[in-house]
Amino acid sequence: MTTEKSKTGGMLQRTSEEPLHVGRPNIGDRDGLMQRFNDLLDRRWLTNAGRYVGELEQRLAEYLGVKHVVAVCNATIGLEIAIKALELRGEVIVPSFTFVATAHALQWQEITPVFCDVDPRTHMLDPDQVEMRVTPRTSGIMGVHLWGRTCDVEALQKIAERRRLTLFFDAAHAFGCSRGGTMAGNFGAAEVFSFHATKFFNTFEGGAVATNDSALARKMRLMKNFGFAGYDDVVSIGTNGKMTEICAAMGLTNLESLDHFIDVNRRNYELYREGLSGVPAIRFLEYEEGERTNYQYIVIEIDNDRSAASRDEVMNALWQQRIMARRYFYPGCHRMEPYRSLAPHDAMLLPRTEDLVQRTLVLPTGTAVAEDDIQFICRFIRAAVTGT
Ligand SMILES: Cc1ncc(COP(=O)(O)O)c(C=O)c1O
């Protein structure tokens, strides 16, 4: 609940002490969750090929319409496993406008993430720029589906085929999203979802790799369990990427509330869109009509030249009201270590990314945010940006 009173200068004040965070977890039916917790405790089966992980993988595969889903302990490990299983090496082209795990998953295996600029309209890889970043050392392209929208899969696929590169996707934001009627999870060689607590569908921590390639799925299943094919039988290199039963129990429970979470996100998105429309200094990132999406991020760009307050000033003012809006993906992976030191001139190649990290602001949504919170946030941003 938020209420407001006018202050000198027309400043709005939020009276609720409750902070509003970006990505505050959605939690499904508690009683159902507790029943599953009690069941797994009674059975004393906490991890390692448990019943709930198997059931979650099966339900996810059905929902996505994909042959294989390999549940993992988080998307970062999922990306590392996919990269290893796909036998990538040398260089892989990725956007810099992404969460740093996208790049780290490559660098961790001494594969160079080659940062590529994005389309300023979608915030995702610009295929023309990708083409220009291909070198003899390039082995793959990792597209990132941002915000609950899919990137230009078809154009990237064409480049990958022409240049004989492996295409796969960081789909951390794209669970429940479709492109041309096909669910994310079916594109490229593999797609990796995140079920982190901050994602609209969470398993506390968790993730999943989806693929239609049976041999790849088999390889990744071995890899997530140290390479064990059976008791005492290690047949490949591996790591510990297993999802626990308690996480899978959370996933199964939240899956039952998935439609509700999406409905709430959609309601919030429509309220924000309405509340922030008609402000020339604000660009509101809209979801594509006709596709399935999760509406999980409310993303605006503030034009620092046309706004009475800069993006950072707006963000700081929101924080004073305990509205914890976030800059994404500030300052860009290419400006974080070790990439900043390894490729110090990348900023010159990424003008659109450089611009976006100064303009983008992500606002709270999800089931923890009420309708009047959103109305307050919109009025507040509108007043700050228009200087009224
Ligand atoms: C685009 C992107 N990739 C990868 C990750 C890593 O996911 P996880 O936290 O499940 O390891 C995230 C998580 O926030 C993300 O937003």
Side-chain angles (χ1 to χ4, degrees), residues 73-79 98-102 144-146 170-173 192-196 198-199 205-207 297 328-329:
C73 55
N74 59 59
T76 307
I77 293 285
L79 286 169
T98 179
F99 185 60
V100 72
T102 314
V144 183
H145 304 308
L146 280 188
D170 176 338
H173 292 193
V192 183
F193 298 105
S194 171
F195 304 146
H196 183 254
T198 52
K199 301 296 183 285
E205 289 263 7
Y297 289 95
Y328 271 56
F329 291 95

mmCIF file of all heavy atoms in Angstrom, residues 73-79 98-102 144-146 170-173 192-196 198-199 205-207 297 328-329, ligand 1:
data_model
loop_
_atom_site.group_PDB
_atom_site.id
_atom_site.type_symbol
_atom_site.label_atom_id
_atom_site.label_comp_id
_atom_site.label_asym_id
_atom_site.label_seq_id
_atom_site.Cartn_x
_atom_site.Cartn_y
_atom_site.Cartn_z
ATOM 1 N N CYS A 73 21.551 -26.689 -10.992
ATOM 2 C CA CYS A 73 21.479 -25.936 -9.729
ATOM 3 C C CYS A 73 21.388 -24.431 -9.944
ATOM 4 O O CYS A 73 20.938 -23.712 -9.058
ATOM 5 C CB CYS A 73 22.662 -26.291 -8.844
ATOM 6 S SG CYS A 73 24.242 -26.047 -9.658
ATOM 7 N N ASN A 74 21.797 -23.935 -11.086
ATOM 8 C CA ASN A 74 21.582 -22.529 -11.456
ATOM 9 C C ASN A 74 21.925 -22.381 -12.935
ATOM 10 O O ASN A 74 22.545 -23.276 -13.528
ATOM 11 C CB ASN A 74 22.400 -21.556 -10.583
ATOM 12 C CG ASN A 74 23.886 -21.797 -10.654
ATOM 13 O OD1 ASN A 74 24.486 -21.729 -11.715
ATOM 14 N ND2 ASN A 74 24.493 -22.100 -9.522
ATOM 15 N N ALA A 75 21.542 -21.261 -13.521
ATOM 16 C CA ALA A 75 21.742 -21.097 -14.967
ATOM 17 C C ALA A 75 23.217 -20.917 -15.323
ATOM 18 O O ALA A 75 23.638 -21.283 -16.426
ATOM 19 C CB ALA A 75 20.944 -19.903 -15.475
ATOM 20 N N THR A 76 23.995 -20.368 -14.406
ATOM 21 C CA THR A 76 25.420 -20.159 -14.707
ATOM 22 C C THR A 76 26.103 -21.501 -14.943
ATOM 23 O O THR A 76 26.833 -21.681 -15.929
ATOM 24 C CB THR A 76 26.099 -19.371 -13.564
ATOM 25 O OG1 THR A 76 25.330 -18.186 -13.343
ATOM 26 C CG2 THR A 76 27.524 -19.020 -13.897
ATOM 27 N N ILE A 77 25.851 -22.454 -14.045
ATOM 28 C CA ILE A 77 26.403 -23.805 -14.227
ATOM 29 C C ILE A 77 25.790 -24.439 -15.476
ATOM 30 O O ILE A 77 26.459 -25.149 -16.233
ATOM 31 C CB ILE A 77 26.132 -24.676 -12.976
ATOM 32 C CG1 ILE A 77 26.921 -24.149 -11.769
ATOM 33 C CG2 ILE A 77 26.447 -26.153 -13.223
ATOM 34 C CD1 ILE A 77 28.396 -24.436 -11.771
ATOM 35 N N GLY A 78 24.504 -24.167 -15.716
ATOM 36 C CA GLY A 78 23.844 -24.674 -16.933
ATOM 37 C C GLY A 78 24.557 -24.180 -18.182
ATOM 38 O O GLY A 78 24.803 -24.950 -19.127
ATOM 39 N N LEU A 79 24.908 -22.905 -18.197
ATOM 40 C CA LEU A 79 25.641 -22.353 -19.350
ATOM 41 C C LEU A 79 27.015 -23.007 -19.464
ATOM 42 O O LEU A 79 27.450 -23.392 -20.555
ATOM 43 C CB LEU A 79 25.814 -20.827 -19.194
ATOM 44 C CG LEU A 79 24.573 -19.975 -19.437
ATOM 45 C CD1 LEU A 79 24.810 -18.524 -18.998
ATOM 46 C CD2 LEU A 79 24.161 -20.010 -20.909
ATOM 47 N N THR A 98 24.171 -7.636 -20.991
ATOM 48 C CA THR A 98 23.609 -8.844 -20.381
ATOM 49 C C THR A 98 24.164 -8.963 -18.972
ATOM 50 O O THR A 98 25.085 -8.231 -18.591
ATOM 51 C CB THR A 98 23.959 -10.099 -21.214
ATOM 52 O OG1 THR A 98 23.405 -11.274 -20.586
ATOM 53 C CG2 THR A 98 25.466 -10.312 -21.330
ATOM 54 N N PHE A 99 23.615 -9.906 -18.212
ATOM 55 C CA PHE A 99 24.171 -10.173 -16.888
ATOM 56 C C PHE A 99 25.544 -10.815 -17.066
ATOM 57 O O PHE A 99 25.755 -11.614 -17.995
ATOM 58 C CB PHE A 99 23.225 -11.111 -16.118
ATOM 59 C CG PHE A 99 23.647 -11.357 -14.707
ATOM 60 C CD1 PHE A 99 23.775 -10.313 -13.812
ATOM 61 C CD2 PHE A 99 23.927 -12.634 -14.268
ATOM 62 C CE1 PHE A 99 24.169 -10.534 -12.498
ATOM 63 C CE2 PHE A 99 24.320 -12.879 -12.951
ATOM 64 C CZ PHE A 99 24.437 -11.818 -12.078
ATOM 65 N N VAL A 100 26.456 -10.490 -16.161
ATOM 66 C CA VAL A 100 27.861 -10.879 -16.356
ATOM 67 C C VAL A 100 28.070 -12.396 -16.416
ATOM 68 O O VAL A 100 29.073 -12.868 -16.972
ATOM 69 C CB VAL A 100 28.748 -10.205 -15.273
ATOM 70 C CG1 VAL A 100 28.524 -10.853 -13.895
ATOM 71 C CG2 VAL A 100 30.216 -10.190 -15.677
ATOM 72 N N ALA A 101 27.118 -13.181 -15.895
ATOM 73 C CA ALA A 101 27.255 -14.645 -15.940
ATOM 74 C C ALA A 101 27.362 -15.151 -17.375
ATOM 75 O O ALA A 101 28.013 -16.172 -17.626
ATOM 76 C CB ALA A 101 26.072 -15.319 -15.251
ATOM 77 N N THR A 102 26.728 -14.456 -18.323
ATOM 78 C CA THR A 102 26.791 -14.867 -19.731
ATOM 79 C C THR A 102 28.257 -14.922 -20.167
ATOM 80 O O THR A 102 28.695 -15.882 -20.804
ATOM 81 C CB THR A 102 26.030 -13.855 -20.626
ATOM 82 O OG1 THR A 102 24.777 -13.550 -20.043
ATOM 83 C CG2 THR A 102 25.850 -14.368 -22.032
ATOM 84 N N VAL A 144 21.256 -13.836 -26.356
ATOM 85 C CA VAL A 144 20.623 -13.682 -25.039
ATOM 86 C C VAL A 144 19.222 -13.119 -25.259
ATOM 87 O O VAL A 144 19.075 -12.056 -25.859
ATOM 88 C CB VAL A 144 21.446 -12.743 -24.124
ATOM 89 C CG1 VAL A 144 20.797 -12.657 -22.741
ATOM 90 C CG2 VAL A 144 22.893 -13.210 -24.004
ATOM 91 N N HIS A 145 18.227 -13.851 -24.793
ATOM 92 C CA HIS A 145 16.844 -13.356 -24.869
ATOM 93 C C HIS A 145 16.605 -12.486 -23.634
ATOM 94 O O HIS A 145 16.557 -13.008 -22.524
ATOM 95 C CB HIS A 145 15.842 -14.505 -24.803
ATOM 96 C CG HIS A 145 16.019 -15.572 -25.837
ATOM 97 N ND1 HIS A 145 16.115 -15.321 -27.178
ATOM 98 C CD2 HIS A 145 16.073 -16.926 -25.698
ATOM 99 C CE1 HIS A 145 16.209 -16.464 -27.835
ATOM 100 N NE2 HIS A 145 16.206 -17.450 -26.966
ATOM 101 N N LEU A 146 16.440 -11.202 -23.853
ATOM 102 C CA LEU A 146 16.317 -10.322 -22.685
ATOM 103 C C LEU A 146 14.880 -9.947 -22.355
ATOM 104 O O LEU A 146 14.065 -9.748 -23.254
ATOM 105 C CB LEU A 146 17.067 -9.014 -22.922
ATOM 106 C CG LEU A 146 18.578 -9.010 -22.726
ATOM 107 C CD1 LEU A 146 19.095 -7.583 -22.804
ATOM 108 C CD2 LEU A 146 19.001 -9.647 -21.418
ATOM 109 N N ASP A 170 21.370 -18.006 -24.077
ATOM 110 C CA ASP A 170 21.132 -17.718 -22.674
ATOM 111 C C ASP A 170 19.679 -17.247 -22.612
ATOM 112 O O ASP A 170 19.356 -16.132 -23.037
ATOM 113 C CB ASP A 170 22.091 -16.612 -22.205
ATOM 114 C CG ASP A 170 21.850 -16.176 -20.770
ATOM 115 O OD1 ASP A 170 20.735 -16.403 -20.274
ATOM 116 O OD2 ASP A 170 22.756 -15.580 -20.165
ATOM 117 N N ALA A 171 18.825 -18.132 -22.141
ATOM 118 C CA ALA A 171 17.384 -17.848 -22.089
ATOM 119 C C ALA A 171 16.951 -17.602 -20.643
ATOM 120 O O ALA A 171 15.810 -17.883 -20.266
ATOM 121 C CB ALA A 171 16.609 -19.013 -22.705
ATOM 122 N N ALA A 172 17.889 -17.063 -19.838
ATOM 123 C CA ALA A 172 17.613 -16.863 -18.403
ATOM 124 C C ALA A 172 16.317 -16.104 -18.167
ATOM 125 O O ALA A 172 15.607 -16.359 -17.194
ATOM 126 C CB ALA A 172 18.786 -16.128 -17.742
ATOM 127 N N HIS A 173 15.990 -15.142 -19.058
ATOM 128 C CA HIS A 173 14.790 -14.313 -18.867
ATOM 129 C C HIS A 173 13.571 -14.849 -19.615
ATOM 130 O O HIS A 173 12.517 -14.223 -19.553
ATOM 131 C CB HIS A 173 15.027 -12.902 -19.430
ATOM 132 C CG HIS A 173 16.030 -12.096 -18.685
ATOM 133 N ND1 HIS A 173 16.180 -10.739 -18.876
ATOM 134 C CD2 HIS A 173 16.950 -12.424 -17.748
ATOM 135 C CE1 HIS A 173 17.128 -10.282 -18.104
ATOM 136 N NE2 HIS A 173 17.629 -11.280 -17.416
ATOM 137 N N VAL A 192 19.323 -22.095 -22.173
ATOM 138 C CA VAL A 192 19.505 -22.230 -20.728
ATOM 139 C C VAL A 192 18.608 -21.227 -19.992
ATOM 140 O O VAL A 192 18.731 -20.017 -20.185
ATOM 141 C CB VAL A 192 20.985 -21.997 -20.349
ATOM 142 C CG1 VAL A 192 21.182 -22.205 -18.850
ATOM 143 C CG2 VAL A 192 21.897 -22.929 -21.147
ATOM 144 N N PHE A 193 17.723 -21.745 -19.148
ATOM 145 C CA PHE A 193 16.808 -20.911 -18.359
ATOM 146 C C PHE A 193 17.352 -20.736 -16.944
ATOM 147 O O PHE A 193 17.995 -21.641 -16.410
ATOM 148 C CB PHE A 193 15.433 -21.579 -18.241
ATOM 149 C CG PHE A 193 14.740 -21.768 -19.565
ATOM 150 C CD1 PHE A 193 14.673 -23.029 -20.154
ATOM 151 C CD2 PHE A 193 14.162 -20.696 -20.221
ATOM 152 C CE1 PHE A 193 14.032 -23.209 -21.375
ATOM 153 C CE2 PHE A 193 13.524 -20.870 -21.445
ATOM 154 C CZ PHE A 193 13.461 -22.122 -22.023
ATOM 155 N N SER A 194 17.032 -19.597 -16.358
ATOM 156 C CA SER A 194 17.349 -19.393 -14.940
ATOM 157 C C SER A 194 16.070 -19.442 -14.124
ATOM 158 O O SER A 194 15.071 -18.817 -14.495
ATOM 159 C CB SER A 194 18.015 -18.035 -14.712
ATOM 160 O OG SER A 194 18.123 -17.789 -13.310
ATOM 161 N N PHE A 195 16.134 -20.163 -13.015
ATOM 162 C CA PHE A 195 15.020 -20.188 -12.073
ATOM 163 C C PHE A 195 15.475 -19.580 -10.742
ATOM 164 O O PHE A 195 15.082 -20.017 -9.654
ATOM 165 C CB PHE A 195 14.513 -21.627 -11.865
ATOM 166 C CG PHE A 195 14.116 -22.334 -13.146
ATOM 167 C CD1 PHE A 195 14.325 -23.706 -13.287
ATOM 168 C CD2 PHE A 195 13.538 -21.638 -14.212
ATOM 169 C CE1 PHE A 195 13.955 -24.370 -14.454
ATOM 170 C CE2 PHE A 195 13.166 -22.291 -15.388
ATOM 171 C CZ PHE A 195 13.380 -23.665 -15.513
ATOM 172 N N HIS A 196 16.338 -18.587 -10.840
ATOM 173 C CA HIS A 196 16.810 -17.881 -9.646
ATOM 174 C C HIS A 196 15.632 -17.207 -8.945
ATOM 175 O O HIS A 196 14.627 -16.869 -9.587
ATOM 176 C CB HIS A 196 17.856 -16.837 -10.064
ATOM 177 C CG HIS A 196 18.438 -16.107 -8.903
ATOM 178 N ND1 HIS A 196 18.106 -14.809 -8.611
ATOM 179 C CD2 HIS A 196 19.308 -16.512 -7.950
ATOM 180 C CE1 HIS A 196 18.759 -14.434 -7.519
ATOM 181 N NE2 HIS A 196 19.497 -15.444 -7.110
ATOM 182 N N THR A 198 14.941 -14.364 -8.159
ATOM 183 C CA THR A 198 14.464 -13.092 -8.724
ATOM 184 C C THR A 198 13.696 -13.269 -10.040
ATOM 185 O O THR A 198 13.120 -12.303 -10.534
ATOM 186 C CB THR A 198 15.646 -12.149 -9.003
ATOM 187 O OG1 THR A 198 16.600 -12.866 -9.792
ATOM 188 C CG2 THR A 198 16.295 -11.665 -7.725
ATOM 189 N N LYS A 199 13.732 -14.460 -10.608
ATOM 190 C CA LYS A 199 13.006 -14.690 -11.859
ATOM 191 C C LYS A 199 11.532 -14.967 -11.538
ATOM 192 O O LYS A 199 11.223 -15.472 -10.459
ATOM 193 C CB LYS A 199 13.623 -15.878 -12.631
ATOM 194 C CG LYS A 199 15.093 -15.661 -12.981
ATOM 195 C CD LYS A 199 15.284 -14.495 -13.921
ATOM 196 C CE LYS A 199 16.717 -14.294 -14.349
ATOM 197 N NZ LYS A 199 17.595 -13.702 -13.328
ATOM 198 N N GLU A 205 17.126 -21.264 -6.038
ATOM 199 C CA GLU A 205 18.172 -21.182 -7.060
ATOM 200 C C GLU A 205 17.868 -22.323 -8.027
ATOM 201 O O GLU A 205 17.358 -23.352 -7.614
ATOM 202 C CB GLU A 205 19.564 -21.409 -6.476
ATOM 203 C CG GLU A 205 20.102 -20.312 -5.600
ATOM 204 C CD GLU A 205 21.031 -19.333 -6.323
ATOM 205 O OE1 GLU A 205 21.182 -19.408 -7.558
ATOM 206 O OE2 GLU A 205 21.592 -18.485 -5.615
ATOM 207 N N GLY A 206 18.216 -22.161 -9.279
ATOM 208 C CA GLY A 206 18.013 -23.275 -10.198
ATOM 209 C C GLY A 206 18.038 -22.820 -11.632
ATOM 210 O O GLY A 206 18.143 -21.628 -11.933
ATOM 211 N N GLY A 207 17.956 -23.794 -12.497
ATOM 212 C CA GLY A 207 17.938 -23.504 -13.923
ATOM 213 C C GLY A 207 17.703 -24.792 -14.676
ATOM 214 O O GLY A 207 17.548 -25.874 -14.072
ATOM 215 N N TYR A 297 9.749 -8.175 -16.819
ATOM 216 C CA TYR A 297 10.528 -6.964 -16.520
ATOM 217 C C TYR A 297 9.799 -5.720 -17.016
ATOM 218 O O TYR A 297 9.238 -5.729 -18.119
ATOM 219 C CB TYR A 297 11.904 -7.022 -17.198
ATOM 220 C CG TYR A 297 12.832 -8.029 -16.558
ATOM 221 C CD1 TYR A 297 12.946 -9.322 -17.058
ATOM 222 C CD2 TYR A 297 13.579 -7.693 -15.433
ATOM 223 C CE1 TYR A 297 13.785 -10.255 -16.467
ATOM 224 C CE2 TYR A 297 14.419 -8.616 -14.831
ATOM 225 C CZ TYR A 297 14.522 -9.886 -15.351
ATOM 226 O OH TYR A 297 15.350 -10.802 -14.750
ATOM 227 N N TYR A 328 20.191 -1.562 -15.401
ATOM 228 C CA TYR A 328 20.595 -2.845 -16.001
ATOM 229 C C TYR A 328 21.304 -2.473 -17.283
ATOM 230 O O TYR A 328 20.869 -1.513 -17.942
ATOM 231 C CB TYR A 328 19.383 -3.692 -16.374
ATOM 232 C CG TYR A 328 18.856 -4.608 -15.308
ATOM 233 C CD1 TYR A 328 18.476 -4.148 -14.066
ATOM 234 C CD2 TYR A 328 18.686 -5.951 -15.582
ATOM 235 C CE1 TYR A 328 17.943 -5.006 -13.116
ATOM 236 C CE2 TYR A 328 18.150 -6.814 -14.635
ATOM 237 C CZ TYR A 328 17.782 -6.343 -13.405
ATOM 238 O OH TYR A 328 17.242 -7.194 -12.488
ATOM 239 N N PHE A 329 22.224 -3.135 -17.770
ATOM 240 C CA PHE A 329 23.174 -4.010 -17.129
ATOM 241 C C PHE A 329 24.421 -3.171 -16.946
ATOM 242 O O PHE A 329 25.370 -3.313 -17.688
ATOM 243 C CB PHE A 329 23.471 -5.235 -18.009
ATOM 244 C CG PHE A 329 22.290 -6.160 -18.118
ATOM 245 C CD1 PHE A 329 21.411 -6.064 -19.173
ATOM 246 C CD2 PHE A 329 22.065 -7.111 -17.145
ATOM 247 C CE1 PHE A 329 20.329 -6.921 -19.267
ATOM 248 C CE2 PHE A 329 20.984 -7.985 -17.246
ATOM 249 C CZ PHE A 329 20.110 -7.882 -18.295
HETATM 250 C C1 LIG B 1 20.794 -12.899 -18.641
HETATM 251 C C2 LIG B 1 21.210 -13.782 -17.494
HETATM 252 N N1 LIG B 1 22.060 -14.808 -17.729
HETATM 253 C C3 LIG B 1 22.448 -15.629 -16.740
HETATM 254 C C4 LIG B 1 22.007 -15.468 -15.449
HETATM 255 C C5 LIG B 1 22.497 -16.378 -14.388
HETATM 256 O O1 LIG B 1 21.462 -17.086 -13.784
HETATM 257 P P1 LIG B 1 21.656 -17.835 -12.388
HETATM 258 O O2 LIG B 1 21.539 -16.773 -11.319
HETATM 259 O O3 LIG B 1 20.521 -18.813 -12.320
HETATM 260 O O4 LIG B 1 22.980 -18.491 -12.383
HETATM 261 C C6 LIG B 1 21.122 -14.431 -15.159
HETATM 262 C C7 LIG B 1 20.659 -14.284 -13.775
HETATM 263 O O5 LIG B 1 20.202 -13.335 -13.284
HETATM 264 C C8 LIG B 1 20.715 -13.560 -16.196
HETATM 265 O O6 LIG B 1 19.883 -12.537 -15.954
#
